[in-house]
Amino acid sequence: MLNKKLNAKLLWIQFEDVLAPRLGLTVKERAVYSYLLRHSLVVGKLRLQFAVMSLARTLGLSIGAARHAVRRLDELGALHVLKRSKTGHLAEMRLPERIRAVRPGRNGASLTTGAVGMGTTRAVGAAGEPPALTLETTDFLKTWALRKAIHDRERGACFYCLRRTPATVRCLNHVVPRVRFGCNSYRNLVSCCLECNSRKRDRPAPDFLRTLYRLGRLTAAELDARLRALKDLAAGKLRPLLS
């Protein structure tokens, strides 16, 4: 059981204004997170058990879409799947303020602080700056210099297949596609080769990486490293250097 009473209004503001856009959650992922949150933390339970089939039926989703949403929310740290079995999933839910990818950082905009409780709240940017001026709100497709910063972060290699990628055959790719409401944040843009950009299309990045492994383009160790890199990217650990 939780030790503090949730401020539902503040929780919803954090979810809609910070968590969902910063993680690039799709409409289906938003629905799944909201539903699971409603039946766990909102009613005072840290963990809940649920069946993907039942979840999909309740939300009007396909079983595959519901399963993918749960998997991606787990990868992003919005929830933590503790156990999978034939009877269902046991998951621990995370409040927006407890998710690493949306915590305030040295170069990032903060959540509304004061925890999701009954205290006073205030918005604070890094080093006293307004949140709009921080790295987190920067559109990295806006200028050539910002696009170059993403390419430089990957050090000339394709983020997906790891091949060396000359400037003439590389591009920026949205990890969460624009059609799934992916943003132009440094957390959602990677430098990749034209071939991977064309092959990935609108597929989820983890699924595409597994396809590269099956095709022999990645070793098992490289696949594991790439999946970890995706988590680090979403968590804001792979920050580009800006001059």
Side-chain angles (χ1 to χ4, degrees):
M1 297 292 290
L2 298 176
N3 294 323
K4 61 183 179 180
K5 183 178 180 181
L6 296 180
N7 182 326
K9 178 181 178 180
L10 181 56
L11 172 60
W12 194 250
I13 290 173
Q14 289 182 344
F15 171 62
E16 287 292 337
D17 295 353
V18 181
L19 176 66
R22 193 167 298 178
L23 295 185
L25 300 183
T26 67
V27 172
K28 295 175 182 178
E29 290 159 357
R30 290 180 184 220
V32 169
Y33 179 80
S34 297
Y35 178 85
L36 297 179
L37 194 69
R38 155 68 179 83
H39 292 277
S40 58
L41 298 179
V42 171
V43 295
K45 297 190 297 183
L46 182 62
R47 298 177 179 178
L48 80 160
Q49 184 144 4
F50 63 94
V52 172
M53 184 179 296
S54 176
L55 175 68
R57 184 167 56 248
T58 300
L59 297 177
L61 303 174
S62 69
I63 296 175
R67 182 176 291 110
H68 172 70
V70 171
R71 181 187 301 167
R72 184 160 185 271
L73 289 169
D74 184 37
E75 291 173 345
L76 293 173
L79 59 83
H80 177 47
V81 176
L82 302 170
K83 183 180 179 182
R84 292 183 176 87
S85 67
K86 292 182 179 180
T87 59
H89 290 55
L90 177 64
E92 180 179 289
M93 296 302 296
R94 305 257 174 83
L95 291 168
E97 66 186 40
R98 303 296 299 172
I99 298 171
R100 180 179 297 178
V102 295
R103 289 178 191 171
R106 183 168 57 88
N107 294 324
S110 70
L111 281 168
T112 304
T113 58
V116 189
M118 302 301 293
T120 303
T121 62
R122 60 192 179 93
V124 182
E129 296 177 344
L133 299 180
T134 63
L135 183 67
E136 297 299 333
T137 57
T138 299
D139 182 341
F140 276 82
L141 285 184
K142 192 172 184 179
T143 67
W144 175 86
L146 290 171
R147 294 192 294 272
K148 183 176 183 298
I150 299 296
H151 287 302
D152 290 346
R153 183 187 62 192
E154 265 67 89
R155 299 180 180 179
C158 173
F159 181 88
Y160 297 115
C161 71
L162 297 177
R163 290 188 304 178
R164 301 303 300 176
T165 311
T168 55
V169 292
R170 68 186 179 195
C171 60
L172 294 183
N173 178 266
H174 288 86
V175 174
V176 179
R178 296 303 301 272
V179 296
R180 294 177 179 267
F181 304 100
C183 60
N184 296 335
S185 164
Y186 75 95
R187 298 172 187 257
N188 194 48
L189 287 171
V190 296
S191 176
C192 73
C193 65
L194 292 175
E195 181 180 353
C196 282
N197 183 64
S198 178
R199 282 176 174 267
K200 178 179 176 291
R201 297 183 181 273
D202 296 334
R203 281 190 287 174
D207 292 351
F208 175 63
L209 288 171
R210 294 183 182 100
T211 297
L212 291 179
Y213 168 69
R214 289 193 294 270
L215 293 174
R217 300 285 297 278
L218 293 174
T219 65
E222 288 171 339
L223 173 62
D224 288 341
R226 291 297 81 204
L227 292 174
R228 287 196 301 271
L230 277 179
K231 290 185 178 181
D232 289 344
L233 184 73
K237 295 180 179 180
L238 305 183
R239 296 181 176 182
L241 296 177
L242 300 179
S243 55

